[in-house]
Amino acid sequence: MGRSAGMFEALKGGGAAIALDEIEISILRSLAVQLLELIGPGEPEPAEDADPLAVLFASDGPTEPPSDPALARLFPDAYGSPDGLGDEGVDPAELTARSAEFRRFTENDLRTRKREDALAVVRSLDGLTPAGDGAAVLELTGELPLRWLGALNDLRLTIAARLDITEDEESAMLFRLPDDDPRKPMVMAYLWLGGLQESLIETL
């Protein structure tokens, strides 16, 4: 990413396009694959003759937040932190119970969506062939722009968790890191993904 990275531009008739070189394609694909590994494999498909009621109860998701900080960012509690009272003065134990119940019925579906978003990025990039100048134009139409938007957001959340970026002040400090700081490449990826995300939002 030594040169200025390309950004998404709107396509006539809807969608978005971006020119990517081999290095950018490789970085994006690698990050998306790592995201897939972090999210984990999907649930196996139920047999055709399976009892629908049994399938429903068998597909219950977890009730506890993930221990990995990155996964905790991707799958946050629905009702905030149980450390204190909620906006409505709800007891912390009640907040914990609500969050556990919500997570139980939604996390598996959310994981599936995030996995599909990351897979869409990988498959889109696998179909690219850089031309003689080393660049390839990726065109996103249909549902792909939203898939990419979801994946870019998840990648930024994951990197932010790894860098422990939680406040604007801390972010600004990280962006001024010296070149020999081991976190510098990850910070540059975080900034680059943010630019891609912002330009894709503008095309939508």
Side-chain angles (χ1 to χ4, degrees):
M1 284 181 289
R3 67 175 181 76
S4 177
M7 295 295 158
F8 283 100
E9 297 178 1
L11 281 174
K12 290 182 179 179
I18 186 173
L20 298 168
D21 63 27
E22 288 189 35
I23 294 176
E24 292 164 343
I25 293 171
S26 176
I27 291 172
L28 276 171
R29 191 185 187 285
S30 175
L31 289 173
V33 168
Q34 290 178 59
L35 180 61
L36 282 169
E37 292 172 350
L38 177 67
I39 294 171
E43 296 293 323
E45 289 292 328
E48 290 184 9
D49 58 349
D51 179 0
L53 195 59
V55 171
L56 175 64
F57 284 102
S59 63
D60 280 359
T63 57
E64 295 291 329
S67 58
D68 186 309
L71 286 173
R73 290 270 184 109
L74 294 176
F75 306 102
D77 274 332
Y79 296 98
S81 172
D83 297 336
L85 295 179
D87 293 337
E88 300 174 1
V90 181
D91 182 76
E94 177 65 19
L95 282 179
T96 300
R98 289 185 187 180
S99 291
E101 191 72 1
F102 187 84
R103 184 180 295 278
R104 176 187 170 202
F105 289 110
T106 61
E107 184 169 312
N108 282 347
D109 287 342
L110 187 56
R111 280 180 182 265
T112 297
R113 194 194 77 203
K114 290 180 181 297
R115 190 179 300 110
E116 289 174 350
D117 289 347
L119 271 173
V121 170
V122 173
R123 288 168 178 159
S124 300
L125 295 173
D126 283 346
L128 282 184
T129 304
D133 62 356
V137 176
L138 172 68
E139 295 188 354
L140 303 177
T141 57
E143 68 172 13
L144 280 177
L146 290 177
R147 291 284 187 198
W148 267 72
L149 197 57
L152 288 172
N153 186 62
D154 288 343
L155 286 172
R156 293 191 78 235
L157 286 173
T158 301
I159 293 176
R162 296 298 185 228
L163 292 171
D164 200 22
I165 297 177
T166 54
E167 302 293 341
D168 291 340
E169 294 81 7
E170 189 173 358
S171 300
M173 178 194 72
L174 286 171
F175 301 156
R176 294 193 297 268
L177 289 175
D179 290 341
D180 59 353
D181 191 294
R183 294 170 293 175
K184 187 75 171 185
M186 199 177 292
V187 168
M188 295 304 294
Y190 180 81
L191 289 169
W192 179 49
L193 291 170
L196 292 179
Q197 184 181 14
E198 186 175 343
S199 67
L200 183 53
I201 289 173
E202 289 174 356
T203 69
L204 300 178

